[in-house]
Amino acid sequence: MSKYIPIQKAIAKGSGNVNIHGWVHRERGSNALKFVVLKDSSNLIQCVFERGKFESQWSEIDKLQVEAALEITGTLKKDERAPTGYEITVESFKIVGTSENFPIAKDQSVEFLADNRHLWLRSRKMTAILKIRDTIFTAIHEYFHKQGFYEYHSPIFQAVQCEGGSELFSVNYFDKKDVFLSQSWQLYAEPAIFALEKIYTIAPSFRAEKSKTSRHLTEYWHAEMEMAWSQFKDIYGHGEKLLKHVVKRVLERNLPELAILERDPKKLEPTLQKPFVKMTYTEALKILKEKCGMEVEWGKDLRTIEEEKLTQLYDVPIICTHYPKKVKAFYMMEDPKNPETVQGCDFLAPEGHGEIIGGSQREHDLEKIKARLRLQGEDPAQYEFYLDTRKYGSVPHGGFGLGVERIVKWICGLESIKDAIPFPRTMERYKP
Ligand code: 4AD
Ligand code: MG
């Protein structure tokens, strides 16, 4: 076992001899003393080198710069003036990796930080976001397993579109012309409900989105579920319970990280305490008109700006249902009461964050699906494997997809989705 303990554990110990290792977060020195704030993945702590103890090594100590890696043995004591309330008087140390002129300093431009993303990941902000991201992934796995879902995997190379052909990435697959990166697991998940009934995944999805917005990535992590024997209300019921579970876990585990991000946890509490707001698309248009002065013609999809205004009115997510059939995917089930609308739902996160989940009950009438594919310019023959799901023991079923970075953005209160993933991919950025 390593003799080194996490800085957070050292702080919890409160006093005495400790061994820690980490990287220089800040440093300042005088002729007699050098102060180094050391960080590891758990926290920060101030360490003091006294020249009297290290005369022969003083030039090395004096030269220590931001991001140098150190092992330190020393004596811990409380010190109100230190950044995390404790200080270590260094007794012995080893420089494991030197560092010179670390490029990232205060107040650098968003572009500069994006070019140096591999280094910016070490920042306190990114470290906090990455920890919350970890909680969210774990919570999604927990929720679905607790609810009796199996984890199941669909291919990333796919030969059909699921969410509209214009947003597909083609792949040079041994010179074949019809291979694309997955937009969704769905068409390869529906065949598996006949084996496993309740399934979920967390996997990358790809969208050739030409939108340069604060919520679109070309590569994102997609948590999706599909279940047999469902009714529409079961689908959005799981969406609501899943989001509550995720928020609950973040509030249990990540208050220190929310504090680093200056994200007020009180803003997330209503999501735990209150039922979500449920409205139809038609009702949403009415509210947009009456409360936001925005007129949307019935039949048009809600745009980012409209979702933003609508969600600013609430402190919990909105479950918006019954969108017009013509703006939604071919597989969504018509509403028997109004066949111009579908039994589909978008979950819209509060405070202006907008769509975080898209889901639906699935159409199980084979002829209706074929007709809607043709309407989109697709050849149903390409979808033969998928259409078999409606031929051999078809049952009512449905599912949803949740954009994990959209949830990270909302929970962390981020301006841009780009900070919700370690190396964001957008229309303009694919490096480093
Ligand atoms: O609404 P979407 O397109 O639905 C589907 O893909 C369904 N096949 C899911 C299903 O029923 N299994 O995408 C689902 C979610 C969106 O609500 C959004 O959160 C996220 O995926 N998403 C994106 N996230 C980041 N960047 C993008 N470009 C995204 N496009 C969709
Ligand atoms: Mg959608």
Side-chain angles (χ1 to χ4, degrees):
M1 224 179 71
S2 166
K3 68 175 183 172
Y4 298 98
I5 58 170
I7 290 173
Q8 185 56 40
K9 236 182 173 166
I11 290 174
K13 199 174 157 204
S15 66
N17 190 261
V18 291
N19 300 299
I20 58 168
H21 52 192
W23 294 265
V24 175
H25 179 61
R26 271 200 302 269
E27 52 78 27
R28 70 190 158 86
S30 67
N31 220 0
L33 293 173
K34 174 97 171 178
F35 291 93
V36 163
V37 176
L38 203 74
K39 64 167 181 190
D40 66 5
S41 61
S42 73
N43 208 340
L44 309 171
I45 192 158
Q46 177 161 292
C47 304
V48 191
F49 295 79
E50 294 164 357
R51 184 166 187 162
K53 279 194 189 129
F54 301 109
E55 192 56 55
S56 64
Q57 292 154 294
W58 192 248
S59 70
E60 276 176 84
I61 294 170
D62 198 35
K63 276 193 289 206
L64 280 175
Q65 286 188 27
V66 165
E67 291 302 327
L70 300 179
E71 290 172 354
I72 282 176
T73 297
T75 316
L76 179 87
K77 62 173 186 343
K78 229 179 157 69
D79 188 328
E80 303 294 347
R81 294 162 304 174
T84 44
Y86 287 84
E87 186 178 85
I88 293 174
T89 306
V90 181
E91 307 299 345
S92 66
F93 74 96
K94 184 174 157 199
I95 300 173
V96 180
T98 55
S99 166
E100 265 177 60
N101 301 326
F102 190 65
I104 296 187
K106 261 202 156 109
D107 301 326
Q108 269 154 334
S109 73
V110 173
E111 272 312 288
F112 183 87
L113 295 179
D115 288 338
N116 288 282
R117 190 71 175 182
H118 55 296
L119 301 176
W120 180 237
L121 287 183
R122 307 175 180 200
S123 63
R124 288 202 94 199
K125 175 179 173 179
M126 283 310 302
T127 306
I129 295 169
L130 292 175
K131 285 186 193 173
I132 293 173
R133 188 179 156 96
D134 165 71
T135 300
I136 293 172
F137 273 77
T138 306
I140 295 169
H141 284 296
E142 275 171 3
Y143 175 81
F144 282 119
H145 276 132
K146 239 179 17 212
Q147 294 284 334
F149 284 72
Y150 291 98
E151 185 172 354
Y152 165 83
H153 306 99
S154 64
I156 297 292
F157 290 131
Q158 299 185 357
V160 287
Q161 63 90 8
C162 182
E163 299 299 324
S166 64
E167 291 174 5
L168 279 174
F169 276 112
S170 318
V171 182
N172 182 349
Y173 194 85
F174 309 109
D175 297 327
K176 301 282 186 300
K177 293 276 178 284
D178 57 347
V179 183
F180 313 102
L181 295 181
S182 169
Q183 293 173 310
S184 165
W185 84 329
Q186 186 186 322
L187 304 191
Y188 295 86
E190 287 182 58
I193 60 163
F194 300 90
L196 298 171
E197 298 188 44
K198 290 163 76 177
I199 53 178
Y200 83 99
T201 202
I202 313 182
S205 275
F206 303 87
R207 305 279 169 113
E209 304 253 18
K210 296 225 168 63
S211 1
K212 293 178 208 168
T213 73
S214 60
R215 49 190 234 194
H216 288 93
L217 295 167
T218 52
E219 174 182 327
Y220 70 97
W221 286 78
H222 203 170
E224 298 186 84
M225 69 81 115
E226 196 71 30
M227 63 188 289
W229 313 106
S230 70
Q231 293 181 312
F232 182 37
K233 66 175 171 28
D234 302 322
I235 303 305
Y236 57 76
H238 275 298
E240 177 164 356
K241 281 186 284 178
L242 170 62
L243 289 177
K244 282 179 184 284
H245 181 70
V246 167
V247 168
K248 176 169 165 272
R249 278 289 189 246
V250 171
L251 291 176
E252 282 166 2
R253 287 180 57 179
N254 297 112
L255 291 179
E257 286 74 32
L258 292 174
I260 289 170
L261 299 172
E262 296 176 16
R263 173 68 163 147
D264 183 358
K266 289 211 165 50
K267 293 254 161 83
L268 298 169
E269 283 167 8
T271 294
L272 272 193
Q273 292 153 356
K274 299 202 273 184
F276 291 4
V277 171
K278 199 159 159 283
M279 64 178 72
T280 64
Y281 162 87
T282 306
E283 286 162 348
L285 296 197
K286 199 158 165 263
I287 294 168
L288 276 168
K289 187 171 171 190
E290 285 168 5
K291 298 205 175 145
C292 311
M294 295 176 109
E295 192 111 26
V296 181
E297 191 188 324
W298 198 97
K300 289 244 157 73
D301 205 357
L302 296 184
R303 295 172 306 165
T304 303
I305 175 76
E306 285 129 14
E307 284 184 359
E308 230 173 76
K309 291 286 178 226
L310 186 66
T311 60
Q312 276 161 3
L313 301 173
Y314 303 93
D315 59 3
V316 298
I318 301 171
I319 308 173
C320 188
T321 64
H322 297 87
Y323 283 80
K325 187 167 67 184
K326 62 182 178 191
V327 300
K328 288 292 183 191
F330 70 91
Y331 52 73
M332 291 197 185
M333 184 157 174
E334 279 177 13
D335 184 40
K337 289 193 223 99
N338 178 3
E340 283 315 302
T341 65
V342 284
Q343 293 189 30
C345 55
D346 279 2
F347 281 58
L348 312 176
E351 303 170 68
H353 286 280
E355 183 188 339
I356 48 178
I357 288 182
S360 75
Q361 184 73 354
R362 313 308 189 192
E363 182 62 69
H364 47 253
D365 184 312
L366 186 57
E367 291 314 314
K368 280 186 182 159
I369 293 194
K370 282 187 184 170
R372 281 170 69 190
L373 275 170
R374 280 192 210 98
L375 214 61
Q376 291 189 4
E378 295 290 317
D379 175 7
Q382 290 284 328
Y383 292 76
E384 216 161 298
F385 81 95
Y386 175 70
L387 299 174
D388 275 354
T389 54
R390 310 307 201 254
K391 287 186 192 160
Y392 306 109
S394 182
V395 291
H397 68 283
F400 64 72
L402 165 162
V404 183
E405 287 76 18
R406 297 262 178 105
I407 305 288
V408 174
K409 175 177 179 283
W410 161 49
I411 287 181
C412 294
L414 305 176
E415 285 281 313
S416 167
I417 196 166
K418 288 183 222 162
D419 279 335
I421 186 164
F423 289 93
R425 299 296 181 234
T426 62
M427 211 181 142
E428 285 150 333
R429 181 159 299 271
Y430 54 95
K431 291 175 184 171

